[in-house]
Amino acid sequence: MSVMCESVTTTTFFHSVSVCVCCQCVCLLQRLAAECQSAGYRGTLIPYKCDLANEDEILSMFSAIRMLHHGVDVCINNAGLAHCEPLLCGKTDAWRNMIDVNVLALSICTREAFKSMQERHIDDGHIININSMGGHRVLPSADEHFYCATKYAVTALTEGLRQELREAKTHIRATCISPGIVETEFAFRHHNTDPEKAAAAYESIKCLKAKDIASAVMYVLSAPPHVQIADIQMWPLEQVL
């Protein structure tokens, strides 16, 4: 069983495994599951409703996965959000929401996935954190500064995770994938009061697609057992960093 902790719809890239994908709007995932089945994928996508800002719901999800599907072998932490709240005048609730989802939910899911692997003596599992290029440089926009801080945290957490997994003498791998601009619902949620600005973010250049990130995940998972891919940084060819 793979668990993908998700906050928006995504491209499915597993062909022969069961994939549990969580989202607050489970109807979107149900539609995606039907599309995958119609496309003839051999794997099974299992939608699960979960608010990743709520630890109790995360723990309930992992409990359900344990009961119904034995446990987790691969955890892909893909949920992330941003609010336009600058450091000098931003709203505390919005900052807290970014920390809850981008940092704490990722950490809780990582901990629970590791527990699941330990319980079943899985020594070749994988934890993949979908980060951002914002986790490697601070964007010159006040609307992005707090978001970048949470993504810098993801960079540090992934390296810390690698160190702890090594100290625990496991062969579980940890990888960070850091994309630039990807054409998803992200900008429209980020700039939810200015849809024209959101659309412009995707119209100025040829952006990455969800399938590009899925391909990177597949590459990471297909690496030989002795190879750990620490970080993939990828962005549109035309993007100015």
Short mmCIF file of all heavy atoms in Angstrom, two decimals, residues 208-240:
data_model
loop_
_atom_site.label_atom_id
_atom_site.label_comp_id
_atom_site.label_asym_id
_atom_site.label_seq_id
_atom_site.Cartn_x
_atom_site.Cartn_y
_atom_site.Cartn_z
N LEU A 208 5.58 23.30 -15.91
CA LEU A 208 5.61 21.87 -15.66
C LEU A 208 4.18 21.36 -15.54
O LEU A 208 3.28 22.11 -15.16
CB LEU A 208 6.36 21.56 -14.37
CG LEU A 208 7.85 21.93 -14.30
CD1 LEU A 208 8.40 21.58 -12.93
CD2 LEU A 208 8.64 21.23 -15.39
N LYS A 209 3.98 20.09 -15.84
CA LYS A 209 2.69 19.44 -15.68
C LYS A 209 2.77 18.44 -14.53
O LYS A 209 3.86 18.00 -14.13
CB LYS A 209 2.29 18.71 -16.97
CG LYS A 209 2.29 19.59 -18.21
CD LYS A 209 1.22 20.65 -18.14
CE LYS A 209 1.17 21.45 -19.46
NZ LYS A 209 0.16 22.52 -19.41
N ALA A 210 1.60 18.04 -14.02
CA ALA A 210 1.57 17.06 -12.94
C ALA A 210 2.30 15.78 -13.34
O ALA A 210 2.99 15.15 -12.53
CB ALA A 210 0.13 16.76 -12.54
N LYS A 211 2.17 15.39 -14.61
CA LYS A 211 2.81 14.15 -15.05
C LYS A 211 4.33 14.26 -15.02
O LYS A 211 5.03 13.23 -14.92
CB LYS A 211 2.33 13.76 -16.45
CG LYS A 211 2.71 14.72 -17.55
CD LYS A 211 2.15 14.24 -18.89
CE LYS A 211 2.52 15.20 -20.03
NZ LYS A 211 1.96 14.73 -21.33
N ASP A 212 4.88 15.48 -15.12
CA ASP A 212 6.33 15.65 -15.01
C ASP A 212 6.80 15.31 -13.60
O ASP A 212 7.85 14.68 -13.42
CB ASP A 212 6.73 17.09 -15.36
CG ASP A 212 6.37 17.46 -16.78
OD1 ASP A 212 6.53 16.60 -17.68
OD2 ASP A 212 5.93 18.61 -17.00
N ILE A 213 6.02 15.72 -12.61
CA ILE A 213 6.37 15.39 -11.23
C ILE A 213 6.18 13.90 -10.98
O ILE A 213 6.99 13.26 -10.31
CB ILE A 213 5.52 16.21 -10.24
CG1 ILE A 213 5.47 17.69 -10.65
CG2 ILE A 213 6.07 16.08 -8.82
CD1 ILE A 213 6.81 18.33 -10.89
N ALA A 214 5.11 13.34 -11.56
CA ALA A 214 4.88 11.90 -11.42
C ALA A 214 6.04 11.12 -12.01
O ALA A 214 6.48 10.10 -11.45
CB ALA A 214 3.57 11.52 -12.11
N SER A 215 6.58 11.57 -13.13
CA SER A 215 7.72 10.90 -13.75
C SER A 215 8.93 10.95 -12.84
O SER A 215 9.70 9.98 -12.74
CB SER A 215 8.05 11.54 -15.10
OG SER A 215 7.00 11.36 -16.03
N ALA A 216 9.13 12.09 -12.16
CA ALA A 216 10.25 12.20 -11.22
C ALA A 216 10.08 11.23 -10.06
O ALA A 216 11.05 10.61 -9.60
CB ALA A 216 10.35 13.64 -10.72
N VAL A 217 8.84 11.10 -9.57
CA VAL A 217 8.57 10.15 -8.49
C VAL A 217 8.86 8.73 -8.94
O VAL A 217 9.50 7.94 -8.22
CB VAL A 217 7.11 10.27 -8.01
CG1 VAL A 217 6.75 9.15 -7.04
CG2 VAL A 217 6.88 11.63 -7.34
N MET A 218 8.45 8.38 -10.14
CA MET A 218 8.71 7.04 -10.67
C MET A 218 10.20 6.79 -10.80
O MET A 218 10.69 5.68 -10.51
CB MET A 218 8.02 6.86 -12.02
CG MET A 218 6.52 6.70 -11.93
SD MET A 218 6.02 5.25 -10.98
CE MET A 218 6.67 3.93 -11.99
N TYR A 219 10.94 7.79 -11.23
CA TYR A 219 12.39 7.66 -11.34
C TYR A 219 13.02 7.39 -9.98
O TYR A 219 13.86 6.50 -9.82
CB TYR A 219 12.97 8.94 -11.95
CG TYR A 219 14.48 9.02 -11.90
CD1 TYR A 219 15.27 8.19 -12.69
CD2 TYR A 219 15.11 9.93 -11.05
CE1 TYR A 219 16.65 8.27 -12.64
CE2 TYR A 219 16.49 10.01 -10.99
CZ TYR A 219 17.26 9.17 -11.79
OH TYR A 219 18.62 9.24 -11.73
N VAL A 220 12.58 8.13 -8.97
CA VAL A 220 13.09 7.95 -7.62
C VAL A 220 12.80 6.55 -7.10
O VAL A 220 13.67 5.87 -6.54
CB VAL A 220 12.48 9.03 -6.68
CG1 VAL A 220 12.73 8.69 -5.22
CG2 VAL A 220 13.04 10.41 -7.01
N LEU A 221 11.56 6.10 -7.29
CA LEU A 221 11.16 4.79 -6.77
C LEU A 221 11.84 3.64 -7.51
O LEU A 221 11.98 2.54 -6.96
CB LEU A 221 9.64 4.64 -6.87
CG LEU A 221 8.81 5.50 -5.92
CD1 LEU A 221 7.32 5.35 -6.23
CD2 LEU A 221 9.08 5.16 -4.48
N SER A 222 12.24 3.88 -8.76
CA SER A 222 12.84 2.80 -9.55
C SER A 222 14.35 2.71 -9.40
O SER A 222 14.97 1.83 -9.99
CB SER A 222 12.48 2.99 -11.03
OG SER A 222 13.05 4.20 -11.52
N ALA A 223 14.94 3.60 -8.60
CA ALA A 223 16.39 3.55 -8.40
C ALA A 223 16.78 2.25 -7.70
O ALA A 223 16.01 1.73 -6.87
CB ALA A 223 16.84 4.75 -7.58
N PRO A 224 17.97 1.68 -7.99
CA PRO A 224 18.43 0.46 -7.31
C PRO A 224 18.45 0.65 -5.80
O PRO A 224 18.61 1.78 -5.31
CB PRO A 224 19.84 0.26 -7.87
CG PRO A 224 19.85 1.00 -9.17
CD PRO A 224 18.93 2.17 -8.99
N PRO A 225 18.29 -0.42 -5.03
CA PRO A 225 18.18 -0.32 -3.57
C PRO A 225 19.36 0.38 -2.89
O PRO A 225 19.19 0.96 -1.82
CB PRO A 225 18.08 -1.79 -3.12
CG PRO A 225 17.55 -2.51 -4.30
CD PRO A 225 18.10 -1.81 -5.49
N HIS A 226 20.54 0.34 -3.50
CA HIS A 226 21.71 0.96 -2.87
C HIS A 226 21.85 2.44 -3.24
O HIS A 226 22.77 3.11 -2.78
CB HIS A 226 23.00 0.22 -3.27
CG HIS A 226 23.36 0.38 -4.71
ND1 HIS A 226 22.68 -0.24 -5.73
CD2 HIS A 226 24.34 1.12 -5.31
CE1 HIS A 226 23.22 0.09 -6.89
NE2 HIS A 226 24.23 0.93 -6.66
N VAL A 227 20.93 2.95 -4.07
CA VAL A 227 21.00 4.34 -4.53
C VAL A 227 19.95 5.17 -3.82
O VAL A 227 18.76 4.86 -3.87
CB VAL A 227 20.79 4.42 -6.06
CG1 VAL A 227 20.76 5.88 -6.51
CG2 VAL A 227 21.87 3.65 -6.80
N GLN A 228 20.38 6.24 -3.18
CA GLN A 228 19.44 7.18 -2.56
C GLN A 228 19.51 8.50 -3.32
O GLN A 228 20.55 9.15 -3.36
CB GLN A 228 19.77 7.43 -1.09
CG GLN A 228 18.90 8.52 -0.45
CD GLN A 228 18.67 8.32 1.02
OE1 GLN A 228 17.62 7.88 1.46
NE2 GLN A 228 19.67 8.63 1.80
N ILE A 229 18.41 8.86 -3.94
CA ILE A 229 18.32 10.15 -4.63
C ILE A 229 17.84 11.16 -3.61
O ILE A 229 16.71 11.12 -3.16
CB ILE A 229 17.37 10.06 -5.84
CG1 ILE A 229 17.92 9.03 -6.84
CG2 ILE A 229 17.22 11.42 -6.51
CD1 ILE A 229 16.96 8.68 -7.94
N ALA A 230 18.74 12.06 -3.23
CA ALA A 230 18.46 12.95 -2.11
C ALA A 230 17.48 14.06 -2.49
O ALA A 230 16.54 14.35 -1.76
CB ALA A 230 19.76 13.55 -1.59
N ASP A 231 17.72 14.69 -3.64
CA ASP A 231 16.91 15.85 -3.99
C ASP A 231 16.87 16.01 -5.49
O ASP A 231 17.90 15.89 -6.16
CB ASP A 231 17.50 17.12 -3.34
CG ASP A 231 16.61 18.34 -3.52
OD1 ASP A 231 15.39 18.16 -3.71
OD2 ASP A 231 17.12 19.47 -3.45
N ILE A 232 15.69 16.22 -6.02
CA ILE A 232 15.52 16.57 -7.43
C ILE A 232 14.97 17.99 -7.49
O ILE A 232 13.91 18.27 -6.93
CB ILE A 232 14.57 15.61 -8.15
CG1 ILE A 232 15.19 14.20 -8.24
CG2 ILE A 232 14.23 16.12 -9.54
CD1 ILE A 232 14.28 13.18 -8.91
N GLN A 233 15.69 18.88 -8.14
CA GLN A 233 15.20 20.23 -8.37
C GLN A 233 14.88 20.35 -9.86
O GLN A 233 15.70 20.04 -10.72
CB GLN A 233 16.26 21.27 -7.97
CG GLN A 233 16.60 21.24 -6.49
CD GLN A 233 17.61 22.31 -6.10
OE1 GLN A 233 17.76 23.32 -6.78
NE2 GLN A 233 18.30 22.07 -5.00
N MET A 234 13.67 20.78 -10.15
CA MET A 234 13.22 20.84 -11.54
C MET A 234 12.30 22.04 -11.73
O MET A 234 11.52 22.38 -10.83
CB MET A 234 12.50 19.54 -11.92
CG MET A 234 11.36 19.15 -11.00
SD MET A 234 10.74 17.46 -11.23
CE MET A 234 10.12 17.52 -12.89
N TRP A 235 12.44 22.69 -12.86
CA TRP A 235 11.58 23.84 -13.13
C TRP A 235 11.42 24.01 -14.63
O TRP A 235 12.18 23.43 -15.44
CB TRP A 235 12.16 25.12 -12.51
CG TRP A 235 13.58 25.43 -12.89
CD1 TRP A 235 14.01 26.13 -14.00
CD2 TRP A 235 14.75 25.05 -12.17
NE1 TRP A 235 15.37 26.21 -14.00
CE2 TRP A 235 15.87 25.57 -12.89
CE3 TRP A 235 15.00 24.36 -10.99
CZ2 TRP A 235 17.18 25.40 -12.49
CZ3 TRP A 235 16.29 24.17 -10.57
CH2 TRP A 235 17.39 24.69 -11.31
N PRO A 236 10.42 24.78 -15.08
CA PRO A 236 10.22 25.01 -16.50
C PRO A 236 11.47 25.68 -17.11
O PRO A 236 12.11 26.51 -16.48
CB PRO A 236 9.02 25.95 -16.56
CG PRO A 236 8.30 25.72 -15.28
CD PRO A 236 9.36 25.43 -14.27
N LEU A 237 11.78 25.28 -18.33
CA LEU A 237 12.95 25.80 -19.00
C LEU A 237 12.93 27.32 -19.05
O LEU A 237 13.97 27.99 -18.94
CB LEU A 237 13.03 25.22 -20.42
CG LEU A 237 14.23 25.63 -21.28
CD1 LEU A 237 15.53 25.16 -20.63
CD2 LEU A 237 14.09 25.07 -22.68
N GLU A 238 11.75 27.90 -19.22
CA GLU A 238 11.62 29.36 -19.40
C GLU A 238 11.49 30.11 -18.07
O GLU A 238 11.45 31.34 -18.06
CB GLU A 238 10.42 29.66 -20.28
CG GLU A 238 10.52 29.07 -21.68
CD GLU A 238 9.23 29.23 -22.46
OE1 GLU A 238 8.19 29.56 -21.85
OE2 GLU A 238 9.25 29.03 -23.68
N GLN A 239 11.40 29.38 -16.95
CA GLN A 239 11.19 30.06 -15.67
C GLN A 239 12.45 30.79 -15.23
O GLN A 239 13.56 30.24 -15.26
CB GLN A 239 10.78 29.07 -14.58
CG GLN A 239 10.49 29.73 -13.23
CD GLN A 239 10.02 28.74 -12.17
OE1 GLN A 239 9.70 27.60 -12.48
NE2 GLN A 239 9.98 29.18 -10.93
N VAL A 240 12.29 32.02 -14.80
CA VAL A 240 13.39 32.81 -14.25
C VAL A 240 13.40 32.58 -12.75
O VAL A 240 12.43 32.89 -12.05
CB VAL A 240 13.23 34.31 -14.55
CG1 VAL A 240 14.36 35.10 -13.90
CG2 VAL A 240 13.19 34.54 -16.05
#
